[in-house]
Amino acid sequence: RKESSAASDVYKRQQKKIILIGTSFFALHALYFIHSFGVNIPITDEWGWVTFAQMVLSDEPFWEFPQFITYNGHGVIIPNLIFVLSIVFSAWNFTYLMYFGWVLVSISVFVTFLIVKKTFPQILWIMIPISAIMYSPIQYENFLWGFASVQLFMISATVFLSIYFLNKINSNRFFILPAICCGIISSFSGVTGIGIWFLGFYSILLQVRWKKSSLIIWAICSISICTIFSFLYSNNSTLEGKFTTDILSISGIKYFILYLSHGIALKFELIRLIVGSIILSSIIGPLIYFVIKRNTNHKFIPWIQLGLAGIFSGGFTLIGRFTDANVQFVSRYSTFTAFDQVAALVII
């Protein structure tokens, strides 16, 4: 028995080393990618924030900047506050924002590791392909664009954190507080982040302890945030007139399935459709199965939530970006499609 235990310990240590080496390779590769190609020059949307930087440096009320609260259909208060810190402490060095984005990705990867360790510790090795997806240079726009690096990676990190804390409420009711904080940060970093308020109900409804109080608190916060968003985006033309035309069309459904596989099935449309369909069914299938069987398998809850986060992001993207004549999948979408891809990988 002692020899068997010793052999098991040796195996676990070797496994941890392999996992550390594998994940570190992709992390360092992404860091080197930023180091090699990141430049301290404003690009695209960042030029519009030059006035914002001038307001900060001249001690003007920067919160009166026209795009401080909303921009292009997104709530961007949190990214703008980070820009303020960057302007004050680093002369708004865009490469520092890119490195900060890398830190946010690393937080997402670490939280994913904690969830895997809690739910399926026997497959910790899966962190290697997960790291490959989450650090993938396919999302080069975000890695090399300070504006997007802060905004989209902030949404991603806080969604991962919120899901993690939501699934810890059973052990301590006060975990709902950091879950709410992460949800607020995510919501006011970009419109995609608002999806976490809908996803949170799934784990809360299935928790064993403190269900009623958690449900009331989460519902109040969800209604409050959605009310604020309704007020902020009431005049947003980006969200108008697409539910009944483009989204419900064959092209809209096709776009959605292609979106789910964006970043891992690159070249052939048929393969992307097959991969997207597998991803979708691997997330929706277990969800429906557990509902029918009334089975509250808590190991799968965070992964189904993460997969639904990817599906929600696809829906938001479809609303804001899809046109029937011109389907485009830009690099930055890969940060959110990683949600459903990682979830499907673990579930499968």
Side-chain angles (χ1 to χ4, degrees):
R1 290 182 179 179
K2 289 182 179 180
E3 291 178 355
S4 177
S5 178
S8 177
D9 291 340
V10 170
Y11 171 76
K12 289 180 179 179
R13 286 196 296 269
Q14 291 176 339
Q15 183 188 45
K16 289 179 180 178
K17 288 180 181 179
I18 293 172
I19 294 170
L20 180 61
I21 293 170
T23 54
S24 297
F25 171 80
F26 293 109
L28 294 174
H29 179 269
L31 192 62
Y32 181 73
F33 182 78
I34 296 170
H35 171 75
S36 299
F37 300 105
V39 291
N40 184 23
I41 298 174
I43 59 173
T44 61
D45 303 55
E46 289 167 342
W47 285 107
W49 261 252
V50 172
T51 302
F52 178 73
Q54 291 173 337
M55 294 175 71
V56 173
L57 293 174
S58 58
D59 294 326
E60 295 181 47
F62 58 81
W63 51 89
E64 295 180 0
F65 181 66
Q67 287 80 39
F68 181 76
I69 296 176
T70 61
Y71 173 67
N72 198 23
H74 296 276
V76 290
I77 295 175
I78 301 301
N80 277 331
L81 291 175
I82 293 172
F83 295 160
V84 170
L85 296 176
S86 174
I87 292 164
V88 172
F89 293 106
S90 70
W92 204 17
N93 189 311
F94 297 98
T95 54
Y96 289 170
L97 294 176
M98 299 170 200
Y99 288 127
F100 178 68
W102 179 88
V103 172
L104 292 173
V105 178
S106 299
I107 291 172
S108 300
V109 173
F110 179 69
V111 173
T112 306
F113 167 76
L114 294 178
I115 299 175
V116 173
K117 188 176 180 180
K118 179 68 175 179
T119 54
F120 300 108
Q122 69 275 22
I123 59 165
L124 278 177
W125 56 266
I126 208 168
M127 284 305 305
I128 296 175
I130 286 175
S131 297
I133 293 173
M134 295 178 69
Y135 284 114
S136 173
I138 191 65
Q139 53 191 334
Y140 62 86
E141 268 188 307
N142 295 341
F143 277 133
L144 303 179
W145 181 10
F147 184 92
S149 188
V150 172
Q151 183 192 18
L152 276 72
F153 287 143
M154 179 65 74
I155 297 172
S156 177
T158 48
V159 165
F160 275 95
L161 282 166
S162 190
I163 289 173
Y164 172 73
F165 289 128
L166 282 165
N167 286 275
K168 294 279 287 182
I169 297 175
N170 264 321
S171 60
N172 188 324
R173 69 173 72 184
F174 293 106
F175 275 113
I176 195 170
L177 298 178
I180 289 171
C181 290
C182 291
I184 292 172
I185 294 172
S186 179
S187 299
F188 290 102
S189 295
V191 67
T192 309
I194 200 174
I196 190 62
W197 298 104
F198 303 100
L199 304 177
F201 285 104
Y202 179 62
S203 58
I204 291 174
L205 287 170
L206 295 180
Q207 71 186 51
V208 178
R209 307 170 66 191
W210 304 300
K211 181 189 294 187
K212 186 179 292 185
S213 60
S214 299
L215 189 61
I216 292 172
I217 294 170
W218 191 260
I220 292 173
C221 292
S222 300
I223 293 170
S224 300
I225 294 297
C226 289
T227 301
I228 293 171
F229 265 69
S230 297
F231 174 75
L232 294 177
Y233 298 144
S234 58
N235 298 319
N236 192 327
S237 60
T238 306
L239 304 179
E240 291 179 357
K242 292 194 175 183
F243 283 104
T244 57
T245 55
D246 295 341
I247 289 180
L248 298 180
S249 66
I250 296 298
S251 297
I253 296 170
K254 179 181 176 182
Y255 175 97
F256 179 74
I257 294 175
L258 289 171
Y259 175 91
L260 296 179
S261 64
H262 179 52
I264 58 172
L266 301 176
K267 190 172 183 180
F268 301 104
E269 186 174 280
L270 177 60
I271 296 176
R272 290 179 61 189
L273 286 170
I274 293 172
V275 173
S277 299
I278 292 172
I279 290 171
L280 182 63
S281 60
S282 67
I283 295 165
I284 299 300
L287 174 63
I288 296 173
Y289 174 82
F290 290 136
V291 170
I292 294 174
K293 294 292 185 179
R294 297 182 180 180
N295 185 338
T296 57
N297 191 325
H298 295 284
K299 291 185 176 182
F300 283 95
I301 292 174
W303 302 110
I304 292 175
Q305 279 183 303
L306 185 61
L308 291 174
I311 291 172
F312 268 111
S313 73
F316 280 125
T317 304
L318 187 61
I319 293 170
R321 296 293 182 183
F322 174 72
T323 58
D324 192 60
N326 184 27
V327 177
Q328 293 184 345
F329 293 94
V330 295
S331 165
R332 59 183 177 273
Y333 293 170
S334 301
T335 296
F336 297 138
T337 59
F339 293 168
D340 54 81
Q341 293 163 10
V342 168
L345 180 64
V346 174
I347 291 171
I348 290 172

